[in-house]
Amino acid sequence: MSRSLQRHLFSTSSRLFASKSPALCSSSTNAAPTLSSIRYHIFKEPLPYPVGLKLQNDIIDARLEAKLKDPIGSRGIGDVILLLEHLPTYTTGRRDNTPNPDELHPEEKKVQNVGASFFITKRGGQVTYHGPGQLVGYPILDLNVMETPTRCYVEYLQAMLKEYVCDATGLDTILAPHPEGHVGVFSSPTEKVASIGIHLRHRITSHGFAMNITPEPISWFDLVMACGLADVRAVSLHGLSAQSFVRDGIIPPTYPTVQEVASALLPRFGDMFGREMRPLDEEGTGEVSQIFHLVKEAENRAREENATHGGWLSKPDLTGRYTPL
């Protein structure tokens, strides 16, 4: 782990958690050196949100079953991170106390028939958007085995994303968390580039983080009050990089694709937890093999659904007349 990341973790965790927890977040987990590799998979095309949600739940079911059969032998073997894009989708989490079960969610009313789905989920946080041009990371990790407190896990994700954005854009004004304590990565008090919202089941994580890479998600974000922050708007990594290049008088190089950013984050993610990163492939056995086949099933289902629907909108249909197939 880099020294700058260690300093950020210590200073941030001290500020946020000293009054809430007797143990500060350390720069690595105590159990990490004895754990197996974290497997990863980068999806090549956007996933419909229900496909991604089902995949996470299926993987957790498989992991819990493996732990029940062999509590010792399954230690961390099934830890995996899924990196992907979704089809245009709005979601809200359990922190959002506005929905009335007999009515449409207030934010859903704003985005009916614009070309995106809307789902209420179990993750933390409020309304946000997922879609092409945004990298979504779903780490499915056993925090008990890693001996990592939940708050520290969120801090680790936040610090990793902040360091990447700083390095990728050359900006030294990146904030994580927000000056008022909001979780996420911000380029200023009124601009947000990455969000974090997690869920735990028997201390196994799901959901995770989302970072806007291209400008494509921005017009979708502009239709809602994302994360319940009225004065904060979404920005993208490409947009922040352009600001940096203009400031320094540099001709912009080719901006990274979503998949290139996914690949760049993997070693940082492994470094964060002191673990090797390995691709999820057919060579795995037992629990890993089962997860591999679940991922392949999800890929096939996504490919079929995307072909049936004939693609997706790159920006919202503001006429409100869009009807999904």
Side-chain angles (χ1 to χ4, degrees):
M1 180 177 295
S2 68
R3 291 183 179 179
S4 62
L5 186 51
Q6 289 177 339
R7 287 196 300 270
H8 173 77
L9 280 171
F10 183 80
S11 62
T12 302
S13 61
S14 297
R15 182 174 64 255
L16 288 182
F17 302 138
S19 62
K20 300 179 181 179
S21 172
L24 297 177
C25 300
S26 62
S27 60
S28 62
T29 58
N30 296 329
T34 64
L35 296 181
S36 60
S37 303
I38 297 176
R39 303 288 181 144
Y40 68 85
H41 185 77
I42 302 175
F43 288 81
K44 294 182 179 179
E45 64 178 273
L47 263 66
Y49 189 80
V51 174
L53 185 61
K54 182 179 185 301
L55 175 59
Q56 293 179 80
N57 289 331
D58 287 347
I59 291 175
I60 293 174
D61 287 343
R63 298 205 58 190
L64 291 175
E65 182 179 353
K67 286 183 69 173
L68 188 63
K69 292 179 179 178
D70 186 1
I72 303 300
S74 66
R75 284 177 58 85
I77 290 176
D79 282 351
V80 63
I81 179 170
L82 309 174
L83 295 166
L84 54 104
E85 297 170 85
H86 277 303
L87 295 183
T89 305
Y90 292 98
T91 69
T92 188
R94 62 180 182 272
R95 284 189 57 206
D96 193 335
N97 57 10
T98 58
N100 181 331
D102 298 323
E103 299 179 359
L104 286 178
H105 187 285
E107 294 294 330
E108 185 175 5
K109 294 178 182 178
K110 299 179 183 178
V111 295
Q112 279 190 292
N113 301 322
V114 300
S117 304
F118 193 100
F119 295 95
I120 297 176
T121 74
K122 294 181 179 180
R123 64 163 172 79
Q126 299 185 47
V127 173
T128 192
Y129 169 79
H130 300 305
Q134 180 193 78
L135 174 64
V136 173
Y138 290 145
I140 303 177
L141 309 176
D142 189 334
L143 295 189
N144 266 355
V145 169
M146 294 167 58
E147 299 181 4
T148 301
T150 304
R151 288 195 295 266
C152 292
Y153 170 66
V154 172
E155 279 296 297
Y156 296 152
L157 294 180
Q158 185 172 249
M160 177 195 69
L161 294 173
K162 176 187 177 180
E163 185 179 67
Y164 175 78
V165 173
C166 288
D167 291 346
T169 64
L171 297 173
D172 57 7
T173 56
I174 305 301
L175 307 170
H178 188 275
E180 295 181 4
H182 306 301
V183 173
V185 180
F186 301 78
S187 57
S188 77
T190 59
E191 296 178 325
K192 188 175 188 180
V193 66
S195 301
I196 297 172
I198 69 167
H199 178 63
L200 295 178
R201 178 148 63 102
H202 297 284
R203 296 285 293 156
I204 295 178
T205 67
S206 60
H207 298 277
F209 62 85
M211 179 163 56
N212 301 323
I213 309 303
T214 77
E216 188 172 338
I218 306 307
S219 59
W220 298 89
F221 269 107
D222 287 343
L223 299 183
V224 296
M225 186 169 68
C227 303
L229 303 177
D231 298 326
V232 176
R233 67 180 300 270
V235 294
S236 69
L237 187 73
H238 288 187
L240 295 177
S241 297
Q243 291 178 23
S244 178
F245 292 134
V246 169
R247 179 198 64 188
D248 297 335
I250 299 174
I251 298 175
T254 302
Y255 294 123
T257 65
V258 174
Q259 292 209 352
E260 288 171 341
V261 174
S263 296
L265 281 182
L266 285 172
R268 295 170 184 261
F269 189 82
D271 188 38
M272 176 71 66
F273 297 108
R275 296 171 69 180
E276 180 186 2
M277 302 297 295
R278 291 182 58 190
L280 182 65
D281 53 37
E282 291 181 285
E283 295 181 1
T285 59
E287 190 176 345
V288 173
S289 176
Q290 188 175 1
I291 293 172
F292 172 80
H293 288 292
L294 288 171
V295 167
K296 287 303 173 183
E297 288 175 8
E299 279 191 318
N300 291 336
R301 183 178 171 191
R303 191 176 299 113
E304 292 171 0
E305 291 194 20
N306 291 345
T308 300
H309 294 163
W312 53 87
L313 298 181
S314 60
K315 58 183 179 180
D317 180 355
L318 299 182
T319 67
R321 293 194 292 265
Y322 179 84
T323 303
L325 295 177

